[in-house]
Amino acid sequence: MLKVSGLNVSYGDVQVLFDVSLEIRVGEFISIVGANAAGKSTLLRAISGLLKKTSGSIEFQGKQLVGRPPYAVVEAGIVHIPEGRHVFPLLSVRENLEVGAYTRRKSRKDLRRSLEELYGLFPQLYHHRDQLAGSLSGGEQQMLAIARGLMSRPTLLTVDEPSLGLAPMLVEKTFQILEHINKENVTVLLSEQNVFNALSMSDRAYVIENGRIVLTGAGKELLTDEHLKKAYLGM
Amino acid sequence: MDPTLFTQLLISGILLGGIYALASIGLTLIFGVMKIVNFAHGEFFMVAMYLTYWVVHYFHIDPYLATLILVPVVFLIGIVTYYLFIRPTLSSSVLAQIFITVGLSTIIQNVVLLFWSADFRSISLGYATDSLVLGPFPALHIEEAMVSPARLIAFGLAILLSLAFYLFLKLSYTGKIIRATSQDRSAALLMGINTDRIYRLTFAIGIVLVGLAGGLVLPVYSVHPFVGFDFVLIMFVVVVLGGMGSVVGAMVSGLIIGVVEVFSSYWIGQENKQVIYFLVFIAILVVRPSGLFGLKEEEELEHIETID
């Protein structure tokens, strides 16, 4: 489904990703784990077309995405839930969701159906539908960011650090939601510092260090890897 | 103060303020969405006045009709200006953005001067030259107040257009997309929004709004190549006072500045009236530094430009 090969990314003169390659198959739940500043977010942002200085290849369902603008990436079916949620604070919850359906805006009926489905999945968003998104709690904003992303019915959802700044109970809930979405045939690419949780959920995972992929394998296998245990799990 | 005089000044002030509101909405919109201060905003006001003037002059049609007919033309001027001058500087420094719009303002003024000379040109409304008389209202101790029909029509249309634009922004899908883009550009990109197209549309709408204001005042003010400058100073006061980026703020503070201007020109004279509205402006900003309807700093948004 998604094939990244030989990806290099720089911010100005500073190279952040080096020769990164990975492959995701339809329906998989893939994690990218690593320390802060390892390059996880950069990788997701490069896939989304947000970064200019990108070379290599990002192929999605046979289409080359490098050099394509972000809207073309969304139109192809990849939606990125950014780190820090980035809901539109002065739009209501409902308006946020409507904006999320931008690529499908032509069909009113479609939009209403998506809204109903997502309100079913996130009842608290329905409850707060007329409230300004900026007035929601952090956990609710994270739910809104995910729901907003799903409004365009992506085939691949990339999620950047959804657990950041959330209480443990909400982290748990966020991961449950992502697992649920994955079971509904949305492929998920998750970037997380919360290594234990991410690996236990994932079909496969990639470990990224200083902008390079250093380790890859099935999620549960990686949990027993000696290097990983020492570096990220404190064992 | 004599209630008749007070009423007279208040009416004149509100009528003037409606025009200021409409003219300023475009400026605050462009800033709110694109974070660009359009120093050439007054020149688009002036160009629209000229276009209306020439249409009326050659085709002998009603100036308000001419103003509406010219909307697509002014929209197109906005689009072309966006591509030629605004888009190339979007990612440049603030300084470059200031230079480009200030430069544009000078260029437009001088090109107009070259073609159409420095003459003051004006039209008059054939059908409405006599003042309307309001009153008397003996219960309020108000004798007759005079209202110029041209000012009244300009005000009515300006308020109508401002409200229509406000509803468009609030209720239409495109309006929601424009607001989303102004609140968080990177999130808008991630929703699949082509923000370049939204910027282009926003800039053109902003120019149309100021152009409409220019056309509406043609029966009241003479047009000359530097008329934009007289208005743009007030537009900036209105925009900053209302809160930069706030459409409602621009509408409310447009009316406030209109009233303040009329009262102060009565009390201390036409040539010193700016002193008073700048004092009011400073006084309000001391209490509310981000303007009447502006966001407080902690409510403002940070963007995801941090390095991973």
Side-chain angles (χ1 to χ4, degrees):
Chain A
M1 178 182 223
L2 180 76
K3 195 173 172 196
V4 176
S5 34
L7 186 69
N8 293 291
V9 176
S10 306
Y11 286 108
D13 295 331
V14 186
Q15 191 166 353
V16 189
L17 288 185
F18 302 86
D19 196 28
V20 168
S21 298
L22 59 89
E23 199 173 345
I24 301 173
R25 289 183 288 270
V26 175
E28 278 190 310
F29 194 119
I30 303 289
S31 288
I32 300 166
V33 297
N36 201 7
K40 304 188 297 293
S41 296
T42 305
L43 175 56
L44 296 198
R45 298 179 65 198
I47 293 171
S48 305
L50 285 175
L51 304 176
K52 287 270 177 309
K53 290 194 147 186
T54 304
S55 68
S57 157
I58 303 173
E59 217 179 290
F60 181 68
Q61 293 174 328
K63 268 180 260 172
Q64 184 53 244
L65 295 184
V66 169
R68 302 289 290 141
Y71 64 84
V73 176
V74 179
E75 278 164 9
I78 303 180
V79 166
H80 174 155
I81 315 290
E83 180 184 332
R85 320 188 230 291
H86 284 269
V87 296
F88 301 111
L90 302 176
L91 295 188
S92 71
V93 167
R94 193 199 153 94
E95 287 174 329
N96 264 274
L97 294 174
E98 286 172 3
V99 171
Y102 184 75
T103 52
R104 307 172 71 85
R105 64 190 176 283
K106 297 280 176 344
S107 163
R108 286 253 136 199
K109 226 173 68 194
D110 210 33
L111 197 146
R112 216 171 312 128
R113 217 185 38 235
S114 302
L115 261 182
E116 274 164 25
E117 264 179 52
L118 285 165
Y119 281 152
L121 189 59
F122 301 96
Q124 71 274 50
L125 292 184
Y126 179 72
H127 184 70
H128 295 301
R129 63 191 180 280
D130 293 323
Q131 214 170 302
L132 291 187
S135 69
L136 299 178
S137 72
E140 288 165 342
Q141 288 193 11
Q142 185 61 64
M143 295 305 149
L144 177 57
I146 294 172
R148 184 183 61 177
L150 291 172
M151 283 296 285
S152 66
R153 298 178 180 270
T155 46
L156 172 64
L157 193 68
T158 69
V159 191
D160 197 3
E161 304 270 4
S163 71
L164 204 73
L166 295 186
M169 216 176 73
L170 289 168
V171 171
E172 191 75 15
K173 200 173 159 205
T174 308
F175 285 143
Q176 276 169 11
I177 293 272
L178 290 177
E179 270 188 304
H180 176 84
I181 292 165
N182 181 236
K183 289 209 180 75
E184 305 271 300
N185 292 324
V186 179
T187 310
V188 175
L189 176 61
L190 169 72
S191 130
E192 259 298 338
Q193 279 188 65
N194 193 331
V195 176
F196 182 77
N197 270 332
L199 291 184
S200 355
M201 286 196 307
S202 303
D203 298 316
R204 292 187 299 115
Y206 292 86
V207 181
I208 193 164
E209 272 173 20
N210 298 321
R212 290 183 170 83
I213 298 227
V214 292
L215 203 59
T216 174
K220 297 198 173 78
E221 276 167 31
L222 286 178
L223 277 176
T224 60
D225 183 89
E226 284 306 318
H227 167 73
L228 200 110
K229 270 160 83 174
K230 237 186 258 146
Y232 299 104
L233 300 171
M235 290 194 268
Chain B
M1 184 175 184
D2 171 35
T4 304
L5 181 61
F6 180 83
T7 313
Q8 178 74 62
L9 292 178
L10 189 64
I11 290 172
S12 307
I14 290 172
L15 295 188
L16 185 63
I19 293 295
Y20 289 168
L22 178 62
S24 310
I25 287 174
L27 187 59
T28 208
L29 175 77
I30 290 169
F31 178 80
V33 176
M34 309 165 68
K35 316 298 173 229
I36 278 197
V37 178
N38 180 20
F39 285 97
H41 210 63
E43 276 51 58
F44 292 101
F45 181 91
M46 175 266 287
V47 167
M49 273 182 96
Y50 265 110
L51 292 178
T52 311
Y53 174 82
W54 291 119
V55 169
V56 172
H57 184 79
Y58 284 113
F59 300 101
H60 306 288
I61 60 171
D62 187 81
Y64 304 115
L65 186 65
T67 303
L68 290 180
I69 290 173
L70 280 166
V71 165
V73 178
V74 177
F75 188 85
L76 208 68
I77 292 176
I79 300 271
V80 171
T81 309
Y82 174 75
Y83 276 116
L84 289 182
F85 301 101
I86 308 299
R87 192 164 179 255
T89 53
L90 275 178
S91 49
S92 311
S93 68
V94 177
L95 210 59
Q97 293 172 352
I98 293 173
F99 281 143
I100 196 95
T101 55
V102 170
L104 185 60
S105 149
T106 312
I107 290 169
I108 297 175
Q109 280 175 7
N110 287 286
V111 168
V112 169
L113 185 64
L114 191 68
F115 282 100
W116 296 329
S117 82
D119 294 347
F120 281 51
R121 298 167 200 268
S122 61
I123 60 161
S124 68
L125 283 178
Y127 52 85
T129 39
D130 295 332
S131 289
L132 297 172
V133 179
L134 297 179
F137 306 103
L140 299 167
H141 307 285
I142 294 168
E143 288 160 40
E144 293 171 347
M146 307 288 238
V147 180
S148 130
R151 284 176 186 270
L152 192 63
I153 296 169
F155 170 81
L157 290 174
I159 292 295
L160 217 62
L161 290 165
S162 303
L163 286 177
F165 173 69
Y166 176 74
L167 291 177
F168 160 77
L169 206 56
K170 207 74 191 167
L171 300 178
S172 75
Y173 193 73
T174 308
K176 286 170 196 169
I177 298 301
I178 291 175
R179 283 188 290 143
T181 306
S182 85
Q183 288 169 33
D184 194 330
R185 179 174 174 256
S186 31
L189 283 169
L190 293 178
M191 298 299 107
I193 296 168
N194 182 347
T195 53
D196 184 46
R197 262 168 62 184
I198 298 301
Y199 279 8
R200 183 181 69 192
L201 176 70
T202 303
F203 190 80
I205 291 176
I207 298 308
V208 164
L209 290 170
V210 74
L212 284 167
L216 292 180
V217 299
L218 185 62
V220 182
Y221 295 93
S222 308
V223 57
H224 56 92
F226 304 102
V227 69
F229 185 76
D230 301 340
F231 279 88
V232 82
L233 206 60
I234 291 166
M235 290 186 221
F236 275 110
V237 171
V238 168
V239 165
V240 177
L241 185 61
M244 293 185 76
S246 166
V247 170
V248 178
M251 290 167 77
V252 173
S253 65
L255 293 174
I256 294 176
I257 292 298
V259 170
V260 170
E261 181 184 325
V262 168
F263 274 92
S264 49
S265 49
Y266 174 75
W267 274 318
I268 64 168
Q270 192 70 21
E271 59 286 348
N272 293 321
K273 64 185 183 192
Q274 275 106 338
V275 176
I276 303 295
Y277 70 67
F278 273 114
L279 280 175
V280 171
F281 173 65
I282 290 166
I284 293 179
L285 287 191
V286 167
V287 186
R288 279 193 67 92
S290 45
L292 293 172
F293 291 80
L295 293 179
K296 290 194 196 75
E297 240 167 79
E298 64 264 31
E299 292 166 329
E300 271 179 31
L301 314 155
E302 87 272 24
H303 284 268
I304 37 172
E305 293 308 331
T306 46
I307 289 181
D308 189 14

mmCIF file of all heavy atoms in Angstrom, chain B residues 142-162:
data_model
loop_
_atom_site.group_PDB
_atom_site.id
_atom_site.type_symbol
_atom_site.label_atom_id
_atom_site.label_comp_id
_atom_site.label_asym_id
_atom_site.label_seq_id
_atom_site.Cartn_x
_atom_site.Cartn_y
_atom_site.Cartn_z
ATOM 1 N N ILE B 142 -36.119 67.375 20.246
ATOM 2 C CA ILE B 142 -35.322 67.363 19.028
ATOM 3 C C ILE B 142 -36.098 68.068 17.930
ATOM 4 O O ILE B 142 -37.249 67.712 17.640
ATOM 5 C CB ILE B 142 -35.003 65.933 18.589
ATOM 6 C CG1 ILE B 142 -34.097 65.262 19.620
ATOM 7 C CG2 ILE B 142 -34.330 65.920 17.226
ATOM 8 C CD1 ILE B 142 -33.971 63.784 19.422
ATOM 9 N N GLU B 143 -35.469 69.079 17.354
ATOM 10 C CA GLU B 143 -36.082 69.710 16.196
ATOM 11 C C GLU B 143 -35.650 68.935 14.963
ATOM 12 O O GLU B 143 -35.161 67.826 15.071
ATOM 13 C CB GLU B 143 -35.665 71.184 16.132
ATOM 14 C CG GLU B 143 -36.345 72.013 17.227
ATOM 15 C CD GLU B 143 -35.597 73.308 17.483
ATOM 16 O OE1 GLU B 143 -35.143 73.903 16.498
ATOM 17 O OE2 GLU B 143 -35.470 73.683 18.663
ATOM 18 N N GLU B 144 -35.749 69.566 13.820
ATOM 19 C CA GLU B 144 -35.459 68.819 12.595
ATOM 20 C C GLU B 144 -33.985 68.449 12.468
ATOM 21 O O GLU B 144 -33.111 69.266 12.757
ATOM 22 C CB GLU B 144 -35.864 69.660 11.394
ATOM 23 C CG GLU B 144 -37.362 69.844 11.340
ATOM 24 C CD GLU B 144 -37.764 70.840 10.281
ATOM 25 O OE1 GLU B 144 -36.883 71.553 9.779
ATOM 26 O OE2 GLU B 144 -38.958 70.897 9.959
ATOM 27 N N ALA B 145 -33.737 67.205 12.037
ATOM 28 C CA ALA B 145 -32.372 66.793 11.709
ATOM 29 C C ALA B 145 -32.316 66.509 10.218
ATOM 30 O O ALA B 145 -33.264 65.985 9.651
ATOM 31 C CB ALA B 145 -32.003 65.553 12.508
ATOM 32 N N MET B 146 -31.203 66.909 9.602
ATOM 33 C CA MET B 146 -31.078 66.743 8.152
ATOM 34 C C MET B 146 -30.200 65.536 7.842
ATOM 35 O O MET B 146 -29.177 65.316 8.470
ATOM 36 C CB MET B 146 -30.394 67.970 7.537
ATOM 37 C CG MET B 146 -31.068 69.267 7.928
ATOM 38 S SD MET B 146 -32.637 69.408 7.088
ATOM 39 C CE MET B 146 -32.355 70.922 6.229
ATOM 40 N N VAL B 147 -30.630 64.777 6.828
ATOM 41 C CA VAL B 147 -29.836 63.625 6.408
ATOM 42 C C VAL B 147 -29.658 63.679 4.902
ATOM 43 O O VAL B 147 -30.625 63.855 4.167
ATOM 44 C CB VAL B 147 -30.527 62.305 6.790
ATOM 45 C CG1 VAL B 147 -29.688 61.121 6.340
ATOM 46 C CG2 VAL B 147 -30.767 62.239 8.290
ATOM 47 N N SER B 148 -28.423 63.522 4.451
ATOM 48 C CA SER B 148 -28.185 63.506 3.011
ATOM 49 C C SER B 148 -28.558 62.130 2.462
ATOM 50 O O SER B 148 -28.115 61.112 2.972
ATOM 51 C CB SER B 148 -26.716 63.830 2.721
ATOM 52 O OG SER B 148 -26.170 62.884 1.846
ATOM 53 N N PRO B 149 -29.408 62.102 1.417
ATOM 54 C CA PRO B 149 -29.845 60.809 0.868
ATOM 55 C C PRO B 149 -28.665 59.961 0.394
ATOM 56 O O PRO B 149 -28.658 58.756 0.583
ATOM 57 C CB PRO B 149 -30.729 61.200 -0.312
ATOM 58 C CG PRO B 149 -31.011 62.648 -0.149
ATOM 59 C CD PRO B 149 -29.947 63.243 0.687
ATOM 60 N N ALA B 150 -27.677 60.606 -0.215
ATOM 61 C CA ALA B 150 -26.537 59.842 -0.730
ATOM 62 C C ALA B 150 -25.812 59.130 0.400
ATOM 63 O O ALA B 150 -25.402 57.972 0.276
ATOM 64 C CB ALA B 150 -25.576 60.774 -1.469
ATOM 65 N N ARG B 151 -25.683 59.825 1.536
ATOM 66 C CA ARG B 151 -25.017 59.199 2.675
ATOM 67 C C ARG B 151 -25.852 58.075 3.259
ATOM 68 O O ARG B 151 -25.351 57.054 3.692
ATOM 69 C CB ARG B 151 -24.725 60.240 3.754
ATOM 70 C CG ARG B 151 -23.538 61.128 3.405
ATOM 71 C CD ARG B 151 -23.345 62.205 4.462
ATOM 72 N NE ARG B 151 -22.315 63.137 4.067
ATOM 73 C CZ ARG B 151 -21.021 62.966 4.376
ATOM 74 N NH1 ARG B 151 -20.638 61.949 5.096
ATOM 75 N NH2 ARG B 151 -20.123 63.845 3.973
ATOM 76 N N LEU B 152 -27.170 58.321 3.271
ATOM 77 C CA LEU B 152 -28.076 57.309 3.828
ATOM 78 C C LEU B 152 -28.058 56.035 2.981
ATOM 79 O O LEU B 152 -27.972 54.917 3.515
ATOM 80 C CB LEU B 152 -29.503 57.877 3.891
ATOM 81 C CG LEU B 152 -30.504 57.075 4.705
ATOM 82 C CD1 LEU B 152 -30.086 57.038 6.168
ATOM 83 C CD2 LEU B 152 -31.905 57.676 4.574
ATOM 84 N N ILE B 153 -28.086 56.195 1.668
ATOM 85 C CA ILE B 153 -28.057 55.019 0.777
ATOM 86 C C ILE B 153 -26.728 54.280 0.938
ATOM 87 O O ILE B 153 -26.687 53.060 1.066
ATOM 88 C CB ILE B 153 -28.262 55.449 -0.695
ATOM 89 C CG1 ILE B 153 -29.658 56.055 -0.882
ATOM 90 C CG2 ILE B 153 -28.078 54.257 -1.619
ATOM 91 C CD1 ILE B 153 -29.854 56.738 -2.229
ATOM 92 N N ALA B 154 -25.640 55.062 0.949
ATOM 93 C CA ALA B 154 -24.316 54.441 1.093
ATOM 94 C C ALA B 154 -24.242 53.641 2.384
ATOM 95 O O ALA B 154 -23.764 52.506 2.409
ATOM 96 C CB ALA B 154 -23.225 55.514 1.072
ATOM 97 N N PHE B 155 -24.751 54.224 3.464
ATOM 98 C CA PHE B 155 -24.729 53.547 4.753
ATOM 99 C C PHE B 155 -25.566 52.267 4.710
ATOM 100 O O PHE B 155 -25.108 51.191 5.089
ATOM 101 C CB PHE B 155 -25.273 54.473 5.844
ATOM 102 C CG PHE B 155 -25.517 53.791 7.157
ATOM 103 C CD1 PHE B 155 -24.462 53.563 8.025
ATOM 104 C CD2 PHE B 155 -26.794 53.365 7.512
ATOM 105 C CE1 PHE B 155 -24.678 52.916 9.231
ATOM 106 C CE2 PHE B 155 -27.015 52.726 8.718
ATOM 107 C CZ PHE B 155 -25.959 52.501 9.579
ATOM 108 N N GLY B 156 -26.787 52.391 4.198
ATOM 109 C CA GLY B 156 -27.679 51.231 4.161
ATOM 110 C C GLY B 156 -27.070 50.081 3.386
ATOM 111 O O GLY B 156 -27.046 48.937 3.847
ATOM 112 N N LEU B 157 -26.543 50.398 2.199
ATOM 113 C CA LEU B 157 -25.955 49.337 1.388
ATOM 114 C C LEU B 157 -24.696 48.766 2.053
ATOM 115 O O LEU B 157 -24.461 47.564 2.015
ATOM 116 C CB LEU B 157 -25.634 49.868 -0.014
ATOM 117 C CG LEU B 157 -26.858 50.176 -0.882
ATOM 118 C CD1 LEU B 157 -26.433 50.826 -2.203
ATOM 119 C CD2 LEU B 157 -27.640 48.893 -1.170
ATOM 120 N N ALA B 158 -23.908 49.654 2.677
ATOM 121 C CA ALA B 158 -22.677 49.189 3.318
ATOM 122 C C ALA B 158 -22.989 48.212 4.445
ATOM 123 O O ALA B 158 -22.351 47.160 4.575
ATOM 124 C CB ALA B 158 -21.870 50.377 3.854
ATOM 125 N N ILE B 159 -23.990 48.547 5.253
ATOM 126 C CA ILE B 159 -24.351 47.665 6.367
ATOM 127 C C ILE B 159 -24.907 46.346 5.838
ATOM 128 O O ILE B 159 -24.548 45.256 6.310
ATOM 129 C CB ILE B 159 -25.386 48.357 7.287
ATOM 130 C CG1 ILE B 159 -24.743 49.542 8.009
ATOM 131 C CG2 ILE B 159 -25.970 47.375 8.300
ATOM 132 C CD1 ILE B 159 -23.647 49.167 8.979
ATOM 133 N N LEU B 160 -25.733 46.447 4.800
ATOM 134 C CA LEU B 160 -26.305 45.244 4.192
ATOM 135 C C LEU B 160 -25.206 44.320 3.659
ATOM 136 O O LEU B 160 -25.204 43.107 3.902
ATOM 137 C CB LEU B 160 -27.217 45.678 3.037
ATOM 138 C CG LEU B 160 -28.488 44.893 2.821
ATOM 139 C CD1 LEU B 160 -29.403 45.008 4.040
ATOM 140 C CD2 LEU B 160 -29.199 45.397 1.578
ATOM 141 N N LEU B 161 -24.243 44.908 2.941
ATOM 142 C CA LEU B 161 -23.162 44.111 2.366
ATOM 143 C C LEU B 161 -22.278 43.518 3.461
ATOM 144 O O LEU B 161 -21.842 42.367 3.370
ATOM 145 C CB LEU B 161 -22.328 44.979 1.409
ATOM 146 C CG LEU B 161 -23.044 45.378 0.114
ATOM 147 C CD1 LEU B 161 -22.315 46.521 -0.586
ATOM 148 C CD2 LEU B 161 -23.153 44.172 -0.817
ATOM 149 N N SER B 162 -22.011 44.315 4.513
ATOM 150 C CA SER B 162 -21.180 43.810 5.612
ATOM 151 C C SER B 162 -21.849 42.614 6.271
ATOM 152 O O SER B 162 -21.207 41.596 6.536
ATOM 153 C CB SER B 162 -20.959 44.892 6.674
ATOM 154 O OG SER B 162 -20.386 46.028 6.090
#
